[in-house]
Amino acid sequence: MNFDAITAARLPELLCAMPKAELHMHIEGSLEPELIFALAKRNKVRLRYESVEALRAAYAFTDLQSFLDIYYAGASVLQQPQDFYDMAWAYFQRAKADNVVHAEIFFDPQTHTARKVSMRTVITGLHRACVDAQSQLGISSSLILCFLRHLSEDEAFETFEEAFPFRDKFIGVGLDSSERGHPPEKFERVFKRAAQLGFKLVAHAGEEGPPAYIWSALDVLHAQRIDHGVQAVHDAALMSRLAQERVPLTVCPLSNQKLCVFPDLADHNLGHMLDQGLCVMLNSDDPAYFGGYLNENFLQTFAALPLNAVHAYQLACNSFEASFVSEAQKQVWRGQLDECFKQFGC
Ligand code: ADE
Ligand code: ZN
Protein backbone atom coordinates (compact mmCIF):
# COMPACT_ATOMS: atom_id res chain seq x y z
CA MET A 1 0.00 0.00 0.00
CA ASN A 2 1.40 3.41 -0.96
CA PHE A 3 0.37 5.51 2.03
CA ASP A 4 2.39 8.48 0.74
CA ALA A 5 -0.36 9.02 -1.82
CA ILE A 6 -2.49 10.54 0.96
CA THR A 7 -1.61 14.21 1.32
CA ALA A 8 -2.31 16.01 4.57
CA ALA A 9 -5.06 17.90 2.76
CA ARG A 10 -6.88 14.67 1.85
CA LEU A 11 -6.38 12.91 5.18
CA PRO A 12 -9.61 14.20 6.82
CA GLU A 13 -11.64 12.93 3.86
CA LEU A 14 -10.02 9.51 4.16
CA LEU A 15 -10.61 9.38 7.93
CA CYS A 16 -14.31 9.96 7.36
CA ALA A 17 -14.64 7.62 4.39
CA MET A 18 -12.83 4.57 5.73
CA PRO A 19 -14.93 1.72 7.16
CA LYS A 20 -14.47 1.23 10.91
CA ALA A 21 -15.85 -0.55 13.95
CA GLU A 22 -16.85 1.17 17.18
CA LEU A 23 -16.24 -0.91 20.31
CA HIS A 24 -16.65 1.55 23.17
CA MET A 25 -19.85 3.54 23.17
CA HIS A 26 -22.35 3.74 26.02
CA ILE A 27 -25.74 3.93 24.40
CA GLU A 28 -27.04 6.17 27.22
CA GLY A 29 -24.17 8.50 26.34
CA SER A 30 -25.61 8.99 22.86
CA LEU A 31 -28.71 10.65 24.28
CA GLU A 32 -28.64 14.15 22.79
CA PRO A 33 -30.19 17.02 24.79
CA GLU A 34 -32.95 17.41 22.17
CA LEU A 35 -33.96 13.76 22.62
CA ILE A 36 -33.73 14.07 26.42
CA PHE A 37 -36.27 16.91 26.26
CA ALA A 38 -38.50 15.08 23.76
CA LEU A 39 -38.55 11.93 25.93
CA ALA A 40 -39.10 13.97 29.11
CA LYS A 41 -42.20 15.46 27.48
CA ARG A 42 -43.39 12.07 26.20
CA ASN A 43 -42.98 10.45 29.64
CA LYS A 44 -43.93 13.50 31.72
CA VAL A 45 -40.57 13.57 33.51
CA ARG A 46 -39.52 16.86 35.12
CA LEU A 47 -35.98 17.93 34.27
CA ARG A 48 -33.71 20.11 36.36
CA TYR A 49 -32.88 22.22 33.30
CA GLU A 50 -35.11 24.78 31.62
CA SER A 51 -34.00 24.18 28.05
CA VAL A 52 -31.78 22.22 25.69
CA GLU A 53 -29.31 25.12 25.80
CA ALA A 54 -29.24 25.19 29.61
CA LEU A 55 -28.62 21.45 29.71
CA ARG A 56 -25.85 21.66 27.13
CA ALA A 57 -24.28 24.52 29.08
CA ALA A 58 -23.96 22.16 32.07
CA TYR A 59 -21.65 19.88 30.08
CA ALA A 60 -18.49 21.40 31.55
CA PHE A 61 -16.84 18.48 33.28
CA THR A 62 -13.84 18.45 35.58
CA ASP A 63 -13.44 14.69 35.94
CA LEU A 64 -15.28 11.39 35.41
CA GLN A 65 -17.59 11.78 38.43
CA SER A 66 -18.75 15.27 37.41
CA PHE A 67 -19.83 13.76 34.08
CA LEU A 68 -21.46 10.64 35.54
CA ASP A 69 -23.75 12.72 37.77
CA ILE A 70 -25.25 14.46 34.72
CA TYR A 71 -25.20 11.32 32.57
CA TYR A 72 -27.27 9.29 35.06
CA ALA A 73 -29.73 12.18 35.44
CA GLY A 74 -30.13 12.35 31.63
CA ALA A 75 -30.94 8.64 31.44
CA SER A 76 -33.93 9.13 33.77
CA VAL A 77 -36.16 10.05 30.80
CA LEU A 78 -35.89 6.51 29.38
CA GLN A 79 -38.95 4.52 30.38
CA GLN A 80 -40.57 2.56 27.55
CA PRO A 81 -39.04 0.12 25.04
CA GLN A 82 -39.68 2.72 22.33
CA ASP A 83 -37.49 5.25 24.21
CA PHE A 84 -34.56 2.81 24.18
CA TYR A 85 -35.25 2.07 20.53
CA ASP A 86 -35.33 5.76 19.58
CA MET A 87 -32.06 6.44 21.40
CA ALA A 88 -30.26 3.52 19.76
CA TRP A 89 -31.74 4.23 16.34
CA ALA A 90 -30.49 7.82 16.51
CA TYR A 91 -27.01 6.48 17.31
CA PHE A 92 -27.08 4.05 14.40
CA GLN A 93 -28.00 6.82 11.98
CA ARG A 94 -25.03 8.87 13.20
CA ALA A 95 -22.82 5.78 12.97
CA LYS A 96 -23.92 5.17 9.39
CA ALA A 97 -22.93 8.72 8.45
CA ASP A 98 -19.46 8.00 9.91
CA ASN A 99 -19.05 4.76 7.91
CA VAL A 100 -19.20 2.60 11.01
CA VAL A 101 -19.82 -0.94 9.74
CA HIS A 102 -20.00 -2.61 13.16
CA ALA A 103 -20.75 -1.46 16.72
CA GLU A 104 -20.41 -3.24 20.05
CA ILE A 105 -22.59 -1.19 22.33
CA PHE A 106 -22.56 -0.85 26.13
CA PHE A 107 -25.70 -0.43 28.15
CA ASP A 108 -26.10 0.23 31.89
CA PRO A 109 -29.20 -1.69 33.03
CA GLN A 110 -28.77 -0.79 36.71
CA THR A 111 -29.37 2.87 35.86
CA HIS A 112 -32.82 1.83 34.67
CA THR A 113 -33.81 -1.07 36.92
CA ALA A 114 -33.11 1.20 39.92
CA ARG A 115 -35.99 3.37 38.58
CA LYS A 116 -38.30 0.36 38.18
CA VAL A 117 -37.78 0.15 34.43
CA SER A 118 -37.60 -3.55 33.67
CA MET A 119 -34.71 -5.42 32.11
CA ARG A 120 -37.15 -6.55 29.40
CA THR A 121 -37.97 -2.95 28.52
CA VAL A 122 -34.29 -2.01 28.24
CA ILE A 123 -33.09 -4.99 26.27
CA THR A 124 -36.03 -5.44 23.91
CA GLY A 125 -35.97 -1.77 22.91
CA LEU A 126 -32.22 -1.77 22.26
CA HIS A 127 -32.27 -5.14 20.51
CA ARG A 128 -34.99 -4.08 18.07
CA ALA A 129 -32.86 -1.11 17.03
CA CYS A 130 -29.88 -3.46 16.47
CA VAL A 131 -32.03 -5.66 14.22
CA ASP A 132 -33.21 -2.63 12.22
CA ALA A 133 -29.63 -1.28 11.97
CA GLN A 134 -28.64 -4.47 10.21
CA SER A 135 -31.62 -4.65 7.88
CA GLN A 136 -32.01 -0.94 7.08
CA LEU A 137 -28.47 0.45 7.41
CA GLY A 138 -26.26 -2.60 6.92
CA ILE A 139 -24.58 -2.05 10.32
CA SER A 140 -23.95 -5.16 12.41
CA SER A 141 -23.96 -4.76 16.16
CA SER A 142 -24.10 -6.46 19.51
CA LEU A 143 -24.85 -5.41 23.06
CA ILE A 144 -22.56 -5.60 26.12
CA LEU A 145 -24.13 -5.35 29.57
CA CYS A 146 -22.07 -3.18 31.93
CA PHE A 147 -22.09 -3.50 35.70
CA LEU A 148 -21.84 -0.22 37.60
CA ARG A 149 -18.68 -0.53 39.67
CA HIS A 150 -19.78 1.98 42.33
CA LEU A 151 -22.46 -0.58 43.30
CA SER A 152 -21.78 -3.91 45.00
CA GLU A 153 -20.92 -7.25 43.45
CA ASP A 154 -24.14 -8.67 44.92
CA GLU A 155 -26.07 -6.07 42.94
CA ALA A 156 -24.10 -7.03 39.82
CA PHE A 157 -25.08 -10.67 40.38
CA GLU A 158 -28.76 -9.67 40.76
CA THR A 159 -28.57 -7.68 37.53
CA PHE A 160 -26.91 -10.54 35.68
CA GLU A 161 -29.61 -12.91 36.91
CA GLU A 162 -32.34 -10.54 35.74
CA ALA A 163 -30.72 -10.31 32.31
CA PHE A 164 -30.30 -14.05 31.95
CA PRO A 165 -33.66 -14.67 30.22
CA PHE A 166 -32.40 -12.30 27.49
CA ARG A 167 -28.97 -13.93 27.21
CA ASP A 168 -29.28 -14.36 23.44
CA LYS A 169 -29.50 -10.55 23.08
CA PHE A 170 -26.15 -9.55 24.58
CA ILE A 171 -22.72 -11.03 23.95
CA GLY A 172 -20.70 -9.93 26.92
CA VAL A 173 -20.35 -8.08 30.19
CA GLY A 174 -18.35 -4.97 31.02
CA LEU A 175 -17.52 -2.76 33.99
CA ASP A 176 -18.04 0.99 34.04
CA SER A 177 -18.90 4.03 36.20
CA SER A 178 -16.69 5.59 38.92
CA GLU A 179 -13.28 3.97 38.65
CA ARG A 180 -11.21 5.32 41.56
CA GLY A 181 -11.74 3.30 44.73
CA HIS A 182 -13.57 0.52 42.85
CA PRO A 183 -10.89 -1.90 41.65
CA PRO A 184 -11.69 -4.75 39.27
CA GLU A 185 -11.15 -7.30 42.08
CA LYS A 186 -14.50 -6.27 43.51
CA PHE A 187 -16.19 -8.07 40.59
CA GLU A 188 -14.04 -11.19 40.34
CA ARG A 189 -16.83 -13.70 41.06
CA VAL A 190 -19.45 -12.22 38.75
CA PHE A 191 -16.97 -12.02 35.87
CA LYS A 192 -15.98 -15.65 36.54
CA ARG A 193 -19.64 -16.64 36.34
CA ALA A 194 -20.10 -14.70 33.09
CA ALA A 195 -17.03 -16.40 31.59
CA GLN A 196 -18.35 -19.85 32.57
CA LEU A 197 -21.57 -19.03 30.73
CA GLY A 198 -19.66 -18.11 27.59
CA PHE A 199 -19.93 -14.31 27.69
CA LYS A 200 -17.20 -12.03 26.38
CA LEU A 201 -15.48 -9.93 29.04
CA VAL A 202 -14.39 -6.30 28.89
CA ALA A 203 -13.67 -3.73 31.60
CA HIS A 204 -12.96 -0.03 31.93
CA ALA A 205 -9.52 0.29 33.49
CA GLY A 206 -6.83 2.93 33.51
CA GLU A 207 -9.12 5.79 32.47
CA GLU A 208 -8.46 7.75 35.68
CA GLY A 209 -7.38 4.78 37.76
CA PRO A 210 -3.84 3.42 38.11
CA PRO A 211 -2.06 0.84 35.91
CA ALA A 212 -2.65 -1.68 38.73
CA TYR A 213 -6.34 -1.69 37.73
CA ILE A 214 -5.35 -2.72 34.19
CA TRP A 215 -3.25 -5.57 35.56
CA SER A 216 -6.14 -6.82 37.67
CA ALA A 217 -8.70 -6.36 34.86
CA LEU A 218 -6.48 -8.75 32.88
CA ASP A 219 -5.36 -11.16 35.58
CA VAL A 220 -8.32 -11.22 37.96
CA LEU A 221 -11.29 -10.51 35.66
CA HIS A 222 -9.68 -12.00 32.54
CA ALA A 223 -10.97 -9.09 30.47
CA GLN A 224 -10.40 -9.59 26.74
CA ARG A 225 -10.37 -5.85 26.03
CA ILE A 226 -9.48 -2.90 28.22
CA ASP A 227 -11.71 0.13 27.87
CA HIS A 228 -9.58 3.30 27.86
CA GLY A 229 -6.33 1.95 29.34
CA VAL A 230 -4.48 5.20 28.67
CA GLN A 231 -2.80 5.15 32.11
CA ALA A 232 -0.83 2.07 30.98
CA VAL A 233 1.93 4.37 29.70
CA HIS A 234 3.05 4.90 33.32
CA ASP A 235 4.06 1.22 33.62
CA ALA A 236 6.72 -0.07 31.21
CA ALA A 237 6.17 -3.75 32.07
CA LEU A 238 2.46 -3.37 31.42
CA MET A 239 3.10 -1.65 28.08
CA SER A 240 5.30 -4.59 26.99
CA ARG A 241 2.65 -7.08 27.98
CA LEU A 242 -0.14 -5.20 26.21
CA ALA A 243 1.95 -5.01 23.05
CA GLN A 244 3.10 -8.63 23.19
CA GLU A 245 -0.38 -10.06 23.83
CA ARG A 246 -2.04 -7.50 21.58
CA VAL A 247 -4.59 -6.71 24.26
CA PRO A 248 -6.99 -4.24 22.66
CA LEU A 249 -7.40 -0.83 24.30
CA THR A 250 -10.55 1.03 23.29
CA VAL A 251 -9.30 4.61 23.41
CA CYS A 252 -11.68 7.60 23.47
CA PRO A 253 -9.76 10.86 22.86
CA LEU A 254 -12.59 13.41 23.02
CA SER A 255 -13.83 11.79 26.22
CA ASN A 256 -10.33 11.99 27.72
CA GLN A 257 -10.14 15.64 26.77
CA LYS A 258 -13.59 16.54 28.15
CA LEU A 259 -12.97 14.66 31.42
CA CYS A 260 -9.56 16.30 31.83
CA VAL A 261 -7.62 13.01 31.66
CA PHE A 262 -5.23 14.97 29.43
CA PRO A 263 -4.97 18.76 29.62
CA ASP A 264 -5.34 19.00 25.85
CA LEU A 265 -5.89 16.69 22.87
CA ALA A 266 -2.35 17.58 21.76
CA ASP A 267 -1.11 15.88 24.96
CA HIS A 268 -2.93 12.60 24.24
CA ASN A 269 -0.74 9.49 24.20
CA LEU A 270 -2.52 7.74 21.29
CA GLY A 271 0.42 8.21 18.90
CA HIS A 272 2.84 6.83 21.49
CA MET A 273 0.67 3.75 22.06
CA LEU A 274 0.36 3.11 18.32
CA ASP A 275 4.11 3.48 17.87
CA GLN A 276 4.66 0.99 20.72
CA GLY A 277 2.65 -1.59 18.76
CA LEU A 278 -0.43 -1.61 20.97
CA CYS A 279 -3.79 -2.67 19.56
CA VAL A 280 -5.56 0.65 20.08
CA MET A 281 -8.48 2.06 18.14
CA LEU A 282 -10.71 5.14 18.41
CA ASN A 283 -14.15 5.28 19.98
CA SER A 284 -16.62 7.95 21.02
CA ASP A 285 -17.53 6.74 24.59
CA ASP A 286 -20.45 9.15 25.24
CA PRO A 287 -20.69 11.17 22.04
CA ALA A 288 -23.66 13.34 23.01
CA TYR A 289 -21.73 14.61 26.03
CA PHE A 290 -18.19 14.83 24.69
CA GLY A 291 -18.69 16.84 21.52
CA GLY A 292 -18.59 14.30 18.77
CA TYR A 293 -19.28 10.92 17.25
CA LEU A 294 -16.62 8.64 15.84
CA ASN A 295 -15.48 10.65 12.82
CA GLU A 296 -15.23 13.77 14.95
CA ASN A 297 -12.88 11.83 17.25
CA PHE A 298 -10.76 10.92 14.22
CA LEU A 299 -10.77 14.44 12.78
CA GLN A 300 -9.93 16.29 15.99
CA THR A 301 -7.34 13.74 17.13
CA PHE A 302 -5.53 13.74 13.79
CA ALA A 303 -5.62 17.54 13.73
CA ALA A 304 -4.06 17.70 17.20
CA LEU A 305 -1.39 14.98 16.89
CA PRO A 306 1.29 14.12 14.32
CA LEU A 307 -0.65 11.18 12.85
CA ASN A 308 -0.78 10.09 9.22
CA ALA A 309 -2.47 7.66 6.83
CA VAL A 310 -0.51 4.70 8.21
CA HIS A 311 -1.92 5.43 11.66
CA ALA A 312 -5.41 5.75 10.19
CA TYR A 313 -5.07 2.35 8.54
CA GLN A 314 -3.78 0.78 11.77
CA LEU A 315 -6.62 2.22 13.81
CA ALA A 316 -9.28 0.88 11.44
CA CYS A 317 -7.54 -2.54 11.21
CA ASN A 318 -7.27 -2.70 15.00
CA SER A 319 -10.96 -1.92 15.38
CA PHE A 320 -11.77 -4.98 13.29
CA GLU A 321 -9.14 -7.16 14.96
CA ALA A 322 -10.48 -6.33 18.43
CA SER A 323 -14.15 -6.91 17.60
CA PHE A 324 -15.98 -10.03 18.76
CA VAL A 325 -16.79 -11.39 15.29
CA SER A 326 -15.52 -14.26 13.15
CA GLU A 327 -12.16 -14.15 11.38
CA ALA A 328 -14.02 -14.45 8.07
CA GLN A 329 -16.02 -11.28 8.83
CA LYS A 330 -12.85 -9.41 9.85
CA GLN A 331 -11.33 -10.40 6.53
CA VAL A 332 -14.31 -8.96 4.64
CA TRP A 333 -13.92 -5.62 6.44
CA ARG A 334 -10.16 -5.53 5.87
CA GLY A 335 -10.90 -6.01 2.17
CA GLN A 336 -13.32 -3.05 2.27
CA LEU A 337 -10.69 -0.97 4.07
CA ASP A 338 -8.07 -1.77 1.41
CA GLU A 339 -10.58 -0.90 -1.30
CA CYS A 340 -11.20 2.48 0.32
CA PHE A 341 -7.46 3.26 0.56
CA LYS A 342 -7.02 2.22 -3.08
CA GLN A 343 -9.71 4.68 -4.09
CA PHE A 344 -7.58 7.37 -2.46
CA GLY A 345 -4.66 6.32 -4.69
CA CYS A 346 -2.79 4.07 -2.23
N1 ADE B 1 -20.04 5.36 31.80
C1 ADE B 1 -20.26 6.11 30.72
N2 ADE B 1 -19.12 6.67 30.30
C2 ADE B 1 -18.14 6.24 31.12
C3 ADE B 1 -16.75 6.45 31.20
N3 ADE B 1 -16.10 7.24 30.34
N4 ADE B 1 -16.07 5.87 32.22
C4 ADE B 1 -16.69 5.11 33.09
N5 ADE B 1 -18.01 4.87 33.06
C5 ADE B 1 -18.73 5.43 32.08
ZN1 ZN C 1 -16.67 4.26 28.61
Side-chain angles (χ1 to χ4, degrees), residues 24 26 64 67-68 71-72 108 176-178 204 207 228 255 259 285-286 290:
H24 181 165
H26 303 262
L64 176 57
F67 154 69
L68 290 170
Y71 161 85
Y72 293 130
D108 285 341
D176 65 2
S177 191
S178 322
H204 282 54
E207 177 183 13
H228 293 291
S255 163
L259 301 188
D285 204 4
D286 300 285
F290 299 148

Short mmCIF file of all heavy atoms in Angstrom, two decimals, residues 24 26 64 67-68 71-72 108 176-178 204 207 228 255 259 285-286 290, ligand 1:
data_model
loop_
_atom_site.label_atom_id
_atom_site.label_comp_id
_atom_site.label_asym_id
_atom_site.label_seq_id
_atom_site.Cartn_x
_atom_site.Cartn_y
_atom_site.Cartn_z
N HIS A 24 -16.51 0.95 21.84
CA HIS A 24 -16.65 1.55 23.17
C HIS A 24 -17.57 2.76 23.06
O HIS A 24 -17.13 3.87 22.78
CB HIS A 24 -15.26 1.94 23.70
CG HIS A 24 -15.27 2.55 25.08
ND1 HIS A 24 -14.12 2.68 25.83
CD2 HIS A 24 -16.26 3.07 25.84
CE1 HIS A 24 -14.40 3.25 26.98
NE2 HIS A 24 -15.71 3.51 27.01
N HIS A 26 -21.25 4.00 25.08
CA HIS A 26 -22.35 3.74 26.02
C HIS A 26 -23.61 4.30 25.38
O HIS A 26 -23.67 5.52 25.13
CB HIS A 26 -22.09 4.45 27.35
CG HIS A 26 -20.78 4.06 27.98
ND1 HIS A 26 -20.68 3.13 28.98
CD2 HIS A 26 -19.51 4.47 27.72
CE1 HIS A 26 -19.40 2.98 29.31
NE2 HIS A 26 -18.67 3.79 28.56
N LEU A 64 -14.29 12.42 35.76
CA LEU A 64 -15.28 11.39 35.41
C LEU A 64 -16.56 11.54 36.24
O LEU A 64 -17.66 11.50 35.71
CB LEU A 64 -14.64 10.00 35.62
CG LEU A 64 -15.56 8.79 35.41
CD1 LEU A 64 -16.18 8.77 34.02
CD2 LEU A 64 -14.76 7.48 35.64
N PHE A 67 -19.06 14.17 35.27
CA PHE A 67 -19.83 13.76 34.08
C PHE A 67 -20.91 12.75 34.46
O PHE A 67 -22.07 12.87 34.05
CB PHE A 67 -18.88 13.18 33.02
CG PHE A 67 -19.55 12.20 32.10
CD1 PHE A 67 -20.51 12.63 31.18
CD2 PHE A 67 -19.26 10.85 32.17
CE1 PHE A 67 -21.16 11.72 30.35
CE2 PHE A 67 -19.90 9.93 31.34
CZ PHE A 67 -20.86 10.37 30.43
N LEU A 68 -20.53 11.73 35.24
CA LEU A 68 -21.46 10.64 35.54
C LEU A 68 -22.73 11.17 36.22
O LEU A 68 -23.84 10.69 35.95
CB LEU A 68 -20.79 9.58 36.41
CG LEU A 68 -19.70 8.74 35.71
CD1 LEU A 68 -18.94 7.88 36.72
CD2 LEU A 68 -20.29 7.85 34.60
N TYR A 71 -24.87 12.42 33.48
CA TYR A 71 -25.20 11.32 32.57
C TYR A 71 -26.32 10.44 33.16
O TYR A 71 -27.28 10.08 32.46
CB TYR A 71 -23.90 10.56 32.33
CG TYR A 71 -23.92 9.15 31.81
CD1 TYR A 71 -24.00 8.89 30.44
CD2 TYR A 71 -23.78 8.07 32.68
CE1 TYR A 71 -23.94 7.59 29.96
CE2 TYR A 71 -23.72 6.77 32.20
CZ TYR A 71 -23.81 6.53 30.84
OH TYR A 71 -23.75 5.26 30.38
N TYR A 72 -26.22 10.12 34.45
CA TYR A 72 -27.27 9.29 35.06
C TYR A 72 -28.58 10.06 35.14
O TYR A 72 -29.66 9.49 34.94
CB TYR A 72 -26.83 8.78 36.44
CG TYR A 72 -25.67 7.80 36.37
CD1 TYR A 72 -24.53 7.94 37.16
CD2 TYR A 72 -25.70 6.71 35.48
CE1 TYR A 72 -23.46 7.05 37.08
CE2 TYR A 72 -24.64 5.82 35.38
CZ TYR A 72 -23.52 5.99 36.19
OH TYR A 72 -22.47 5.11 36.10
N ASP A 108 -26.21 0.21 30.42
CA ASP A 108 -26.10 0.23 31.89
C ASP A 108 -27.46 -0.11 32.50
O ASP A 108 -28.18 0.79 32.94
CB ASP A 108 -25.72 1.65 32.37
CG ASP A 108 -24.26 2.02 32.14
OD1 ASP A 108 -23.43 1.11 31.95
OD2 ASP A 108 -23.96 3.24 32.17
N ASP A 176 -18.22 -0.45 34.25
CA ASP A 176 -18.04 0.99 34.04
C ASP A 176 -18.45 1.78 35.27
O ASP A 176 -18.60 1.20 36.34
CB ASP A 176 -18.76 1.46 32.75
CG ASP A 176 -20.27 1.33 32.83
OD1 ASP A 176 -20.81 0.93 33.89
OD2 ASP A 176 -20.94 1.63 31.83
N SER A 177 -18.59 3.08 35.12
CA SER A 177 -18.90 4.03 36.20
C SER A 177 -17.62 4.42 36.97
O SER A 177 -16.52 4.22 36.46
CB SER A 177 -19.99 3.51 37.12
OG SER A 177 -20.43 4.55 37.98
N SER A 178 -17.79 4.94 38.18
CA SER A 178 -16.69 5.59 38.92
C SER A 178 -15.53 4.62 39.15
O SER A 178 -15.68 3.62 39.87
CB SER A 178 -17.21 6.05 40.28
OG SER A 178 -18.52 6.55 40.17
N HIS A 204 -13.63 -1.32 31.88
CA HIS A 204 -12.96 -0.03 31.93
C HIS A 204 -11.82 -0.14 32.95
O HIS A 204 -12.04 -0.62 34.07
CB HIS A 204 -13.91 1.07 32.40
CG HIS A 204 -14.88 1.55 31.37
ND1 HIS A 204 -15.71 0.73 30.68
CD2 HIS A 204 -15.14 2.82 30.93
CE1 HIS A 204 -16.45 1.45 29.85
NE2 HIS A 204 -16.12 2.73 29.97
N GLU A 207 -8.59 4.53 33.04
CA GLU A 207 -9.12 5.79 32.47
C GLU A 207 -8.61 6.91 33.38
O GLU A 207 -7.83 7.75 32.94
CB GLU A 207 -10.65 5.75 32.43
CG GLU A 207 -11.28 7.05 31.93
CD GLU A 207 -12.81 7.03 31.95
OE1 GLU A 207 -13.40 6.12 32.59
OE2 GLU A 207 -13.43 7.93 31.33
N HIS A 228 -10.49 2.17 27.58
CA HIS A 228 -9.58 3.30 27.86
C HIS A 228 -8.14 2.77 27.97
O HIS A 228 -7.44 2.68 26.98
CB HIS A 228 -9.97 4.12 29.10
CG HIS A 228 -11.25 4.87 28.93
ND1 HIS A 228 -11.37 5.94 28.08
CD2 HIS A 228 -12.48 4.69 29.50
CE1 HIS A 228 -12.62 6.40 28.13
NE2 HIS A 228 -13.31 5.66 28.98
N SER A 255 -13.43 12.04 24.84
CA SER A 255 -13.83 11.79 26.22
C SER A 255 -12.70 12.16 27.17
O SER A 255 -12.90 12.87 28.16
CB SER A 255 -14.18 10.30 26.38
OG SER A 255 -14.20 9.92 27.73
N LEU A 259 -13.02 15.04 30.00
CA LEU A 259 -12.97 14.66 31.42
C LEU A 259 -11.62 14.97 32.04
O LEU A 259 -11.30 14.51 33.15
CB LEU A 259 -13.32 13.17 31.59
CG LEU A 259 -14.71 12.77 31.06
CD1 LEU A 259 -15.05 11.34 31.43
CD2 LEU A 259 -15.81 13.72 31.55
N ASP A 285 -17.19 6.83 23.16
CA ASP A 285 -17.53 6.74 24.59
C ASP A 285 -18.96 7.24 24.85
O ASP A 285 -19.88 6.43 24.95
CB ASP A 285 -16.50 7.49 25.43
CG ASP A 285 -16.42 6.99 26.87
OD1 ASP A 285 -17.10 6.00 27.20
OD2 ASP A 285 -15.67 7.58 27.67
N ASP A 286 -19.13 8.55 24.98
CA ASP A 286 -20.45 9.15 25.24
C ASP A 286 -20.60 10.36 24.32
O ASP A 286 -20.47 11.51 24.76
CB ASP A 286 -20.54 9.58 26.71
CG ASP A 286 -20.35 8.41 27.65
OD1 ASP A 286 -21.28 7.60 27.79
OD2 ASP A 286 -19.24 8.28 28.22
N PHE A 290 -19.61 14.49 24.84
CA PHE A 290 -18.19 14.83 24.69
C PHE A 290 -17.88 15.55 23.39
O PHE A 290 -16.70 15.69 23.02
CB PHE A 290 -17.34 13.56 24.82
CG PHE A 290 -17.46 12.88 26.17
CD1 PHE A 290 -17.34 11.49 26.29
CD2 PHE A 290 -17.71 13.62 27.32
CE1 PHE A 290 -17.45 10.87 27.53
CE2 PHE A 290 -17.83 13.00 28.57
CZ PHE A 290 -17.69 11.62 28.66
N1 ADE B 1 -20.04 5.36 31.80
C1 ADE B 1 -20.26 6.11 30.72
N2 ADE B 1 -19.12 6.67 30.30
C2 ADE B 1 -18.14 6.24 31.12
C3 ADE B 1 -16.75 6.45 31.20
N3 ADE B 1 -16.10 7.24 30.34
N4 ADE B 1 -16.07 5.87 32.22
C4 ADE B 1 -16.69 5.11 33.09
N5 ADE B 1 -18.01 4.87 33.06
C5 ADE B 1 -18.73 5.43 32.08
#
